[in-house]
Each structure stands twice: as structure tokens, then as C-alpha cells.
Amino acid sequence: MPSKLTHEEAEALVISDDPEHPANLISELCRDFYKLGWVTGTGGGISIRQGEHVYLAPSGVQKERIKPEHIFVLPFAQSSVPKPGSKRDFLRIPSKKGLSESQCTPLFWNAFTMRQAGACIHTHSQHAVMLTLLHPRDAQSFKISHQEMIKGVRIGGVGKTLSFFNTLEIPIIDNTAVEEDLTESMAAAMEEYPDAPAILVRRHGVYVWGNTWEQAKTQSECLDYLFEIAVKMLLAKLPLVGDN
Amino acid sequence: MPSKLTHEEAEALVISDDPEHPANLISELCRDFYKLGWVTGTGGGISIRQGEHVYLAPSGVQKERIKPEHIFVLPFAQSSVPKPGSKRDFLRIPSKKGLSESQCTPLFWNAFTMRQAGACIHTHSQHAVMLTLLHPRDAQSFKISHQEMIKGVRIGGVGKTLSFFNTLEIPIIDNTAVEEDLTESMAAAMEEYPDAPAILVRRHGVYVWGNTWEQAKTQSECLDYLFEIAVKMLLAKLPLVGDN
Amino acid sequence: MPSKLTHEEAEALVISDDPEHPANLISELCRDFYKLGWVTGTGGGISIRQGEHVYLAPSGVQKERIKPEHIFVLPFAQSSVPKPGSKRDFLRIPSKKGLSESQCTPLFWNAFTMRQAGACIHTHSQHAVMLTLLHPRDAQSFKISHQEMIKGVRIGGVGKTLSFFNTLEIPIIDNTAVEEDLTESMAAAMEEYPDAPAILVRRHGVYVWGNTWEQAKTQSECLDYLFEIAVKMLLAKLPLVGDN
Amino acid sequence: MPSKLTHEEAEALVISDDPEHPANLISELCRDFYKLGWVTGTGGGISIRQGEHVYLAPSGVQKERIKPEHIFVLPFAQSSVPKPGSKRDFLRIPSKKGLSESQCTPLFWNAFTMRQAGACIHTHSQHAVMLTLLHPRDAQSFKISHQEMIKGVRIGGVGKTLSFFNTLEIPIIDNTAVEEDLTESMAAAMEEYPDAPAILVRRHGVYVWGNTWEQAKTQSECLDYLFEIAVKMLLAKLPLVGDN
């Protein structure tokens, strides 16, 4: 946990006049996501990786009230894999008492290491959760096709955008008691579904990533739109795949 | 009703530059709750207890337009139990004509005295009301399990957080003609369900509390999320308890 | 149409630093109502009567972009009844070209003259419209009981508040091709249902009034809440009246 | 692509203190449309034609974060028809790297040339998409009557407003893999339905136009309201046409 940086250097990592600085963006985007119902009740959040720095919100706080000075900064290259419960290397730890890094840390790392993502968003959107509830208990994935909004989603979250006629498929994994315990099953699903731009977690929410925060955000919006309309279609007994 | 404080001392209880001062927080949070549909039409509100001072909004006013100078301040230690209709001790009464303290006063007191809560929120959220309407007339409680958002809720509202595998149970009590007349049945339900973090009132809304305003607010969000998804599940004929 | 006031006197009727001045309030409230989905697409609005002055928004404009200088001011005492199509007396006409007074003028007048209301709100809320659509074609009124939000509604819109155990009844009248042609049927319904706090217009919306703009607004919120939950109850096949 | 204007003249086309300048309006309206869920995930947008200048947002960007300096300006009179994939004449191209003009360009042009529209709005509103999904696969159009909000819609989008008793009819065309490939089928539908104020695109969204941006916007609101209530009516098995 010790940082090689002086206090001034560490603070400079999160204090900036640039609204596009990751510490400012995370604060702003969490406020926006709160209004969308994605991160209420302290759930959900976003992590941004900029080169060798990873910016993280704290765990268990009101996401819509995060300030830049609450942001953790970690070196992307950790001295050991950031496994659940593992001790991590930090460049900057907020001075406010009682804050610990997001419990999603190893899950965000999955996106950074397995997809070279520049940002990863986690939401508790009810559209995502209802969608998993409306799938049979043993369903391995959610599929949808013939929707314009599919065109806003990239192959594997970071490749070329999908076509209107492609079928989008997103794996659904089971939830666990502790958030970090999703690390391995999320990684396994990402390996089994290399084209998937996101991972749905049954009765919990979704993880979405992208090359940049802009792509992670716009893909989260496209996917949330698709989850919402898929729920409506299932309730109206309309098929999700095909155009009939 | 007489206060031992001078006028200046009483005013100083609600006028502060600190956005986290209870009088400022109540005003701000009521605006936020209004946008969530929790306190429209003058209904609902929040009371904050800070040490020996209890801060209360007025009754029957537009909650989204409350200003700090409209806030009542009461000593937590009342010379008699703040029963329905009883005369209460005040430290500060707003000078604006026609204001009286919230009709929820003795209900908030239940949370302060029986759970040592630091804040209590009352909402008329339609999700809470629809949930009670979708329960059989003689249902004593609402139960749900296997939802990530359960993890944001504390045992008894003030203890340890629940686990994903715990079943959350919230008693449902009948509504009464006068808000204050809920005092005894709410207290009885709190005794019968010591682990419950909230009390649902049939055809009316919900009372939620926490150790602090932050915990009361984030638990209100988690519970409102759970009420909303439970309504959707019931309408889709999905079971609320279990993971099948 | 000629005003006895000088141009300066007429302008002074709508230009004020006081946020509670009717011209400022109408602009502000229309923005708020737009966000609630009550006055989109130029529909709906609010008129405030202050003593002998009536303040009106223009017809057919974007309600969320009204400015105080767009407000019409009329003497409450008109030289003839403000019937549909009739010429009205004005104290102030906005100088912006192409504006005419709200087509709801004679309907607002119904509330002012028959109920001595100080404000009247008209919305196109989908909850109101869906509620009329879910009623049989020949239903004369909507009834609901045993809802906490009923307690925010006043008898006749201007009397004592209703009790939780009262049954709220609101007449439903048929829509007409021209808004002003609702004048007589609205007045007839107000006579037949002296206790009704509002008039529902089938496939159109609702008119709600109160002693003051605050009461008109909070009653609009309570009624819209009740319309919304009544629609949900009807779709879920729950009875609107009774407590079973 | 070369412009006859100097750099200063081209920049002056989009930089203005006037909030009603098209470059400012497009930025503001896109933020508003984002909040309505019309243009999330980079989808949708608005183009304004002012005399011989057409103002266009860029393609594939976050619509709620557009700034005036991102706006393209084209001469309305193009040296060749702005067909899909065709090279277009520009008066001003944003200097920010990687921006290209909206893929809706030839579709907006349909509205400008075939209806002399002054503005055209494209949304991905879920109400529009669900409405197309709830129509039979071979339905050629959506029809509705006896709704007050029909009165806010103009014949052909630019003529006289419809009456409450008129039946509004909007053609539904099939979606294509590439947005620009909708150009011909949209034009064909506009010819076949000269009175239609909009074109619905199955599984995609809607195009709405008007004489001015105000009319395009208020008609988009009226139509979106009608799409939403029509979806509710279809799910509740209520007929869309007639008054029974």
C-alpha cells in the first residue's frame, strides 16, 4: 500500500481543472448514472484506466456525491494479480477516513487485462436485473437481433461495431455473496464469449467496458436500451431474435 | 412550546453555511426525494437527529420548496413521550405563519428511540404502495431474497448489512385516518420484527431509518429499488423468494 | 381589448423580481410541469388569479420556454362572460407577435367563478388519459378510496381535505373538437359534482384548481399520483374502491 | 468538400451569443432529447435549415455533449443530390479530428426538399420502436384517432393542424443495415403518404419534421406521446382508432 509518490504528487493525480480528467469524469459520470437509476444505494460505478494509471471510486459510498478527492489511483501494473481480498499497490489513497477501494476492483481489472479496455462501468440497472429474471434459470446468455441500437455496440466491447443484422449475445453468470468472488466466473465467461461486449450478472446487474470512457458509456446506454426493450418484448411475448 | 434559547440562539440552530448541516440537508434531500416521486403533493419527508437535537420539516407544505428557516428543532429528550396529539418541547419554531411540525413526528421518534436511529425517511413511493396492494389483504410482511440490492440494507436498519442469500422481511401495517395514529402499530411491528429495516404502511408508503442520514438515504434507495422490482416480479408471476 | 393602463403600467404587471409574482410563477411552474410530462407539445398550462387580476399563458407555445413577458393579464371582472370565441378585456397583451391567450381561458374561468379558485391547472398527463381510456365508454366518473394521497385533496378543490376513508369521485366529460367547447360541459359537471376537486376530460387530460397556486399544484400532484396508481391497479385487476 | 469561405467566415457560422442560433439550438436540444431518452448511445439528433444553410450534428458522438464548434454547415443547394455515400458540399467542417457529418444527412434532406421543412428530428425513442414491434410484420402504417394530442400535429408536418376527430396515419418502413440506405424508402413513403407528419422505421425509431425547429420539436413531443399511449393501449387491448 505504500506509495513512492510524495503527498503533493499523489494529490496532483486527482486534482485538475480539466473536466476530462479521470477524477473529474468519474465524479461527473457517477452523478449522471445515479439519475439513470444505475448506481443508487451506493451500488455500481465506473473505473477509468489512463495509460498506466487506474482511477477507482471508493466502495459503499453514495456514488452521486463522490468528489475528485475521494478517488483512488492504482498503478495498472500491480506487483501481484489484484485477486479478491488481495493487497493492492496504490499511487494515491484518499485521506478521508473509512474509504476503501471499490469492491469491483478485480472485475474492472478483468476488462483492463483481458480486453485492454480503457474504462469499465458496472450498473445495477433494473432493466439488466429484470432481463436475467425473465430468462430461464439455466440460460447461459441473452441474445437479441434486429435492433438499431445493436449498431452502437462493439465486438468484444472494443472491436468493430455490430451490424443491424448481427445477433448480440451476452453471457449471464450467477451472482455470488461477495462481489469480488465474481472475478473468476466473469473471466471464464469473457474467455468463452470473446465477442461479448458485457457480462450480465443474474439478480445483480451488468459489467460493460470499452476502449475509452466515451465508448464504455455509450455502449452502456445502448445495452441498457436493449435490456429495457427486451424486457418489454418478453412481457409482450415477442421473440428477441429474428424479424417477424 | 417555550424555548429556553434566545431568538438569536434559536435561529443559529438552522442557519449555517455547511451544506451538511441538518437544516440544509433536509431542504436539499426533500428536493431530491421530490424528483424521485417520494414526497409529491406535500407527502413524506425526512427527520435528522444530531445528538440531542432533532430537525423536522413542517407538515403539509411543498417538500421540494422547504428552506432551512422552515425547519423545526426539538430536544430529543422530551418532557413527555411525543405521543399523537401531545404538546411537544421545541428549541426552535419557524416564524413563518401557519407552519406546524410534521405529522410524522411520533413515528420518527419510534425510529430514534427504538433503534437509536440518526435519521428517518418517510416516502409515499408508488412502488411501496403498489407492493402492499399486490400482497393479500392479510399478509403481515413482504419478503424477498437473492437480490444484490439486499446487500445495501442493514439488520434492523442500523446493524450489519444483509447478505445476498439472506431473506429480507419487512412488516406491513394497516393505514389509519390520522398519520399519528400509526405510532403504536408501527412500534408494535418494530418490536415483533427487530431485524426489519423499515415499516411498510398499506395503501400509504414506507418508513426507513438508519444510523445516519447517509445510511437512511441509501437504505431508502435500496428498499425502493427492491419494492419496484418486486412489483415487476409479482406482475410477471416470478417468485420473490428463492433463486429459481 | 383596449387597456386603460399606460404601456409602462401594463408591463409592470408582469415584470417583477419576486419569484412568487404570478408571471414568474407561471413560467417556472410550466417548466416544472413539462418535466413531469404534463404540458409537452404545447398542451396544458396554469392560470393564476390574484385578486382582480388573472394571469394567463399564451396558446400553442412551448410551455417550458414561456417567459414572464409572454404572459397575458386580464381583469377578473370581464364586461361579458368569457365564453368560447368571445372578445375579452385585457390589462396587458404581450408585444411578441402571434401570441393569443390560452384556449383554456373560459375553462379556467369556470374554476374562478364557480369555485372562487385562485389558480387552475390543466394537464395532458398520460395517467389521466389512460385512466379515462380504461373506464367504460359510458362511465360518468372515476372513484377511488383507501389511498393516503386522497388526504391531500380538498372537497370541491377548495374546502376541507378528504379523509383516508372517503371515496374521491371525479367526473369524466367527453372531449370536443375545440378546447373552448368544453366550457359548458365542464360547468355542468362542476354543478352536478360540487365536491369534485377536478374534471377529467376523456382522451384529453384533466383540470384541477385550488384556493391558491400552491393548493392547485399539490392537488394536481396528489391527483396525478392517484390516476397513475389507479391505472396500475386496473391493469392488475385490483378494485379501486374498498380495502380488500 | 472545399469551402469558398475564409476560416473566420466559416467559424462565424457556428459561433454566436444568440441562444436561438442553430448551432446553439442543436447543442441545447440534443441535451434535452438525451434526457427524454430519444438520443442515447449516440443515436438520433436534429438538423436545422435556416434559409440556404443546413446545420448538422456529427455522426456517432455523444449527442448530449455536442458543442456549437462541432456543428457542420452545408449549403442547402448541393451541387449534386446528397445521396447515400455521396460527397457533399460544406460551408464549415469542425476542426476536431474524426468527426463526420450525421449519417442521417440524406434523410434530413428528404424532409427539406420534399416538405420544405425547416428542421428534422430523428429519435430512437423506445415508444416508437415498441409501437413498430407491436404492429404486425406486414403493417404499412400506424393509425390513431380521438386523442387530444393529435391536435398538435400538422398535415404533412408543415400544413394545418389536425382535428381531434381526424385519424393520424404514419407509414412504417423497414430498417436497413446502413442508415443512409433508408433514403429511398423514406422518400417513397413520403410520396405515398403526403399527409403524414413523420416516418416510423421498424425496430429503429422515427423521423419528424416541421416548418421550424419549434414545430419539429413540439410535433416530436406530440407524436412521442401518441406512440407511448398507443403502446399502452395495445398492451391493454384497447382499439387505437374510434371512440368506444
Side-chain angles (χ1 to χ4, degrees):
Chain A
M1 214 175 306
S3 152
K4 310 277 169 47
L5 303 179
T6 66
H7 179 73
E8 283 70 26
E9 287 168 334
E11 291 313 291
L13 287 173
V14 299
I15 305 304
S16 165
D17 288 338
D18 180 4
E20 303 255 331
H21 184 282
N24 293 332
L25 277 171
I26 289 174
S27 310
E28 178 194 355
L29 292 170
C30 282
R31 281 196 299 277
D32 292 342
F33 295 168
Y34 177 83
K35 288 178 203 154
L36 295 172
W38 289 2
V39 300
T40 61
T42 80
I46 177 172
S47 176
I48 295 177
R49 178 174 72 86
Q50 203 172 63
E52 291 306 302
H53 291 176
V54 173
Y55 298 80
L56 271 180
S59 173
V61 301
Q62 296 180 76
K63 292 295 188 290
E64 76 280 16
R65 290 173 182 257
I66 289 175
K67 294 180 182 165
E69 60 261 34
H70 302 156
I71 300 294
F72 289 81
V73 188
L74 286 70
F76 176 48
Q78 293 279 312
S79 54
S80 64
V81 181
K83 286 184 302 184
S86 74
K87 229 174 159 64
R88 281 143 205 163
D89 302 327
F90 290 91
L91 292 171
R92 196 251 172 195
I93 292 175
S95 57
K96 188 179 172 182
K97 260 199 222 169
L99 296 184
S100 59
E101 75 273 22
S102 168
Q103 292 188 356
C104 308
T105 303
L107 307 169
F108 291 146
W109 238 265
N110 278 343
F112 298 150
T113 59
M114 296 178 69
R115 293 286 185 272
Q116 290 74 53
C120 187
I121 293 169
H122 172 45
T123 89
H124 289 186
S125 164
Q126 288 209 6
H127 306 307
V129 174
M130 268 307 285
L131 187 61
T132 68
L133 291 169
L134 289 172
H135 274 69
R137 181 67 189 82
D138 58 353
Q140 301 294 309
S141 68
F142 153 68
K143 293 185 197 177
I144 193 167
S145 77
H146 292 85
Q147 288 285 349
E148 178 69 13
M149 290 297 263
I150 289 177
K151 292 165 61 179
V153 180
R154 290 170 187 278
I155 295 172
V158 291
K160 291 189 1 181
T161 51
L162 290 167
S163 146
F164 176 70
F165 295 108
N166 288 146
T167 296
L168 169 70
E169 182 170 14
I170 299 177
I172 305 175
I173 63 175
D174 274 351
N175 199 23
T176 52
V178 177
E179 186 112 20
E180 297 192 319
D181 291 344
L182 290 168
T183 310
E184 284 185 29
S185 56
M186 177 183 171
M190 289 174 74
E191 270 180 28
E192 194 178 339
Y193 296 84
D195 290 352
I199 303 290
L200 281 162
V201 186
R202 202 183 309 273
R203 296 172 173 275
H204 179 159
V206 69
Y207 281 87
V208 184
W209 55 82
N211 290 310
T212 60
W213 72 266
E214 290 97 332
Q215 286 185 14
K217 171 175 169 289
T218 59
Q219 291 189 92
S220 289
E221 290 172 355
C222 290
L223 290 170
D224 202 59
Y225 179 109
L226 291 166
F227 299 159
E228 182 178 1
I229 210 157
V231 166
K232 293 177 186 172
M233 291 173 78
L234 288 171
L235 292 175
K237 306 205 183 306
L238 296 168
L240 299 184
V241 175
D243 177 26
N244 44 13
Chain B
M1 216 175 307
S3 151
K4 310 277 170 47
L5 303 179
T6 66
H7 179 73
E8 282 70 27
E9 286 167 334
E11 291 312 291
L13 287 173
V14 299
I15 304 304
S16 164
D17 288 338
D18 179 4
E20 303 254 331
H21 183 284
N24 293 332
L25 277 172
I26 289 175
S27 309
E28 178 194 355
L29 292 170
C30 282
R31 279 196 301 277
D32 292 343
F33 295 167
Y34 177 82
K35 288 179 202 153
L36 296 172
W38 289 1
V39 299
T40 63
T42 79
I46 177 172
S47 175
I48 296 177
R49 179 174 72 88
Q50 204 171 61
E52 291 307 302
H53 291 176
V54 172
Y55 298 80
L56 271 181
S59 173
V61 301
Q62 296 180 78
K63 292 296 188 289
E64 75 279 16
R65 291 174 181 256
I66 289 174
K67 293 178 183 166
E69 59 262 34
H70 302 155
I71 301 294
F72 289 82
V73 187
L74 287 69
F76 176 48
Q78 293 280 312
S79 53
S80 65
V81 181
K83 286 185 302 184
S86 74
K87 229 174 159 69
R88 282 144 204 161
D89 301 327
F90 290 92
L91 292 171
R92 195 248 173 199
I93 292 176
S95 56
K96 188 178 171 182
K97 260 198 221 168
L99 296 184
S100 59
E101 75 273 23
S102 169
Q103 292 189 355
C104 308
T105 303
L107 307 169
F108 292 145
W109 238 264
N110 278 344
F112 299 150
T113 58
M114 297 178 69
R115 293 285 183 272
Q116 291 73 53
C120 186
I121 293 170
H122 172 45
T123 89
H124 289 186
S125 165
Q126 288 209 6
H127 305 308
V129 174
M130 268 308 285
L131 187 61
T132 67
L133 290 170
L134 289 172
H135 273 69
R137 182 66 189 82
D138 57 352
Q140 301 294 309
S141 68
F142 152 70
K143 294 185 197 176
I144 192 166
S145 76
H146 292 84
Q147 288 286 348
E148 178 68 13
M149 290 297 262
I150 288 176
K151 292 164 60 178
V153 180
R154 291 171 187 277
I155 295 172
V158 291
K160 289 187 6 177
T161 51
L162 290 168
S163 146
F164 177 70
F165 295 109
N166 288 147
T167 296
L168 169 70
E169 183 169 15
I170 299 177
I172 306 175
I173 62 175
D174 274 350
N175 199 23
T176 51
V178 178
E179 186 111 20
E180 296 191 318
D181 291 343
L182 290 168
T183 310
E184 285 186 29
S185 56
M186 177 182 169
M190 289 173 73
E191 270 180 29
E192 192 178 342
Y193 296 84
D195 290 351
I199 302 290
L200 281 162
V201 186
R202 203 182 309 273
R203 297 174 173 273
H204 178 159
V206 68
Y207 281 86
V208 184
W209 55 82
N211 290 310
T212 60
W213 72 267
E214 290 97 333
Q215 285 185 14
K217 170 175 170 289
T218 59
Q219 291 189 93
S220 289
E221 290 172 356
C222 290
L223 290 170
D224 202 59
Y225 179 109
L226 291 166
F227 299 159
E228 183 178 1
I229 210 157
V231 166
K232 293 177 186 172
M233 291 172 78
L234 289 171
L235 292 175
K237 306 205 182 305
L238 296 168
L240 298 185
V241 176
D243 177 27
N244 43 12
Chain C
M1 215 175 307
S3 152
K4 310 277 169 48
L5 303 179
T6 66
H7 179 74
E8 282 69 28
E9 287 169 335
E11 293 310 291
L13 287 173
V14 298
I15 305 303
S16 165
D17 289 338
D18 179 4
E20 303 254 333
H21 183 282
N24 293 332
L25 277 172
I26 290 175
S27 309
E28 178 194 355
L29 293 170
C30 281
R31 281 196 299 278
D32 292 342
F33 295 168
Y34 177 83
K35 288 178 203 153
L36 296 173
W38 289 1
V39 299
T40 63
T42 79
I46 177 172
S47 176
I48 295 177
R49 179 174 72 88
Q50 205 171 61
E52 291 307 301
H53 290 176
V54 173
Y55 297 80
L56 270 181
S59 171
V61 301
Q62 297 180 77
K63 292 296 188 287
E64 75 280 15
R65 290 172 183 259
I66 290 175
K67 294 179 183 165
E69 60 261 34
H70 302 156
I71 301 294
F72 289 82
V73 187
L74 286 70
F76 176 48
Q78 294 279 311
S79 54
S80 64
V81 181
K83 287 184 304 183
S86 75
K87 230 173 160 66
R88 282 146 203 158
D89 301 326
F90 290 91
L91 292 171
R92 196 250 173 195
I93 292 175
S95 56
K96 189 178 171 182
K97 260 199 220 168
L99 296 183
S100 58
E101 76 273 22
S102 169
Q103 292 189 355
C104 309
T105 303
L107 308 168
F108 292 144
W109 238 264
N110 278 344
F112 299 149
T113 57
M114 297 178 67
R115 293 284 184 273
Q116 291 74 53
C120 186
I121 293 170
H122 172 46
T123 89
H124 288 185
S125 165
Q126 288 208 7
H127 305 309
V129 174
M130 269 307 286
L131 187 62
T132 68
L133 290 169
L134 289 171
H135 273 69
R137 181 67 188 83
D138 58 352
Q140 302 294 309
S141 68
F142 152 70
K143 293 185 199 177
I144 193 166
S145 76
H146 292 85
Q147 289 285 347
E148 177 69 13
M149 290 297 262
I150 288 177
K151 291 165 59 178
V153 180
R154 290 171 187 278
I155 295 172
V158 291
K160 290 189 3 178
T161 51
L162 290 168
S163 145
F164 177 70
F165 295 109
N166 287 147
T167 295
L168 169 70
E169 181 169 16
I170 299 177
I172 306 175
I173 62 175
D174 274 350
N175 199 22
T176 52
V178 177
E179 187 111 20
E180 297 191 317
D181 292 344
L182 290 168
T183 310
E184 284 185 29
S185 56
M186 177 183 170
M190 290 173 73
E191 270 179 30
E192 193 179 340
Y193 295 84
D195 290 351
I199 303 289
L200 281 162
V201 186
R202 202 182 310 271
R203 297 173 174 274
H204 179 157
V206 68
Y207 281 86
V208 184
W209 54 84
N211 289 310
T212 60
W213 71 267
E214 290 97 333
Q215 286 185 14
K217 171 176 168 289
T218 58
Q219 290 190 93
S220 289
E221 290 172 356
C222 290
L223 290 171
D224 203 58
Y225 179 109
L226 292 166
F227 299 159
E228 183 177 0
I229 211 156
V231 166
K232 292 177 186 172
M233 292 173 78
L234 288 172
L235 291 176
K237 306 205 183 303
L238 297 169
L240 299 184
V241 176
D243 177 27
N244 42 12
Chain D
M1 216 174 308
S3 151
K4 309 278 168 47
L5 303 179
T6 66
H7 179 74
E8 282 71 27
E9 288 167 335
E11 291 312 291
L13 287 173
V14 299
I15 305 304
S16 165
D17 289 338
D18 179 4
E20 302 255 330
H21 184 282
N24 293 332
L25 276 172
I26 290 175
S27 309
E28 178 194 355
L29 293 170
C30 281
R31 280 196 300 278
D32 292 342
F33 295 168
Y34 177 83
K35 287 177 204 154
L36 296 173
W38 288 3
V39 299
T40 63
T42 81
I46 177 172
S47 176
I48 296 177
R49 179 174 72 87
Q50 204 171 62
E52 291 307 301
H53 291 176
V54 173
Y55 298 80
L56 270 180
S59 172
V61 301
Q62 296 180 78
K63 292 297 188 288
E64 76 280 15
R65 290 173 182 257
I66 290 175
K67 295 178 183 167
E69 59 261 34
H70 301 154
I71 301 293
F72 289 82
V73 188
L74 286 70
F76 177 47
Q78 293 280 311
S79 54
S80 66
V81 181
K83 287 184 302 185
S86 75
K87 231 175 159 63
R88 281 145 205 161
D89 302 326
F90 290 91
L91 291 171
R92 196 253 172 192
I93 293 176
S95 57
K96 188 177 172 184
K97 260 199 222 167
L99 296 185
S100 58
E101 76 272 23
S102 168
Q103 290 188 358
C104 309
T105 304
L107 307 169
F108 292 145
W109 238 264
N110 277 344
F112 299 149
T113 59
M114 297 177 69
R115 293 287 184 270
Q116 291 74 53
C120 186
I121 293 170
H122 172 45
T123 89
H124 288 185
S125 164
Q126 288 208 8
H127 306 308
V129 174
M130 269 307 285
L131 186 61
T132 69
L133 290 169
L134 289 172
H135 273 70
R137 181 66 188 83
D138 58 352
Q140 302 294 308
S141 68
F142 152 69
K143 293 185 199 175
I144 193 166
S145 77
H146 293 85
Q147 289 284 347
E148 178 68 14
M149 289 297 262
I150 289 176
K151 292 165 59 178
V153 180
R154 290 171 186 277
I155 295 172
V158 291
K160 290 188 1 181
T161 50
L162 290 167
S163 146
F164 176 69
F165 295 108
N166 287 147
T167 296
L168 169 70
E169 181 169 15
I170 299 177
I172 306 175
I173 63 174
D174 275 351
N175 199 22
T176 52
V178 177
E179 186 113 19
E180 297 192 319
D181 292 344
L182 290 168
T183 310
E184 284 184 30
S185 56
M186 176 182 170
M190 290 173 73
E191 270 179 31
E192 194 179 339
Y193 297 83
D195 289 351
I199 302 291
L200 281 162
V201 186
R202 202 183 310 272
R203 296 171 172 277
H204 179 158
V206 69
Y207 282 87
V208 184
W209 55 82
N211 290 310
T212 60
W213 71 267
E214 290 97 333
Q215 286 186 13
K217 171 176 169 290
T218 57
Q219 291 190 91
S220 289
E221 290 171 357
C222 290
L223 290 170
D224 202 59
Y225 179 109
L226 292 166
F227 299 159
E228 183 178 359
I229 209 156
V231 165
K232 292 177 186 171
M233 292 173 78
L234 288 172
L235 292 175
K237 305 206 183 306
L238 297 168
L240 299 184
V241 176
D243 177 26
N244 44 12

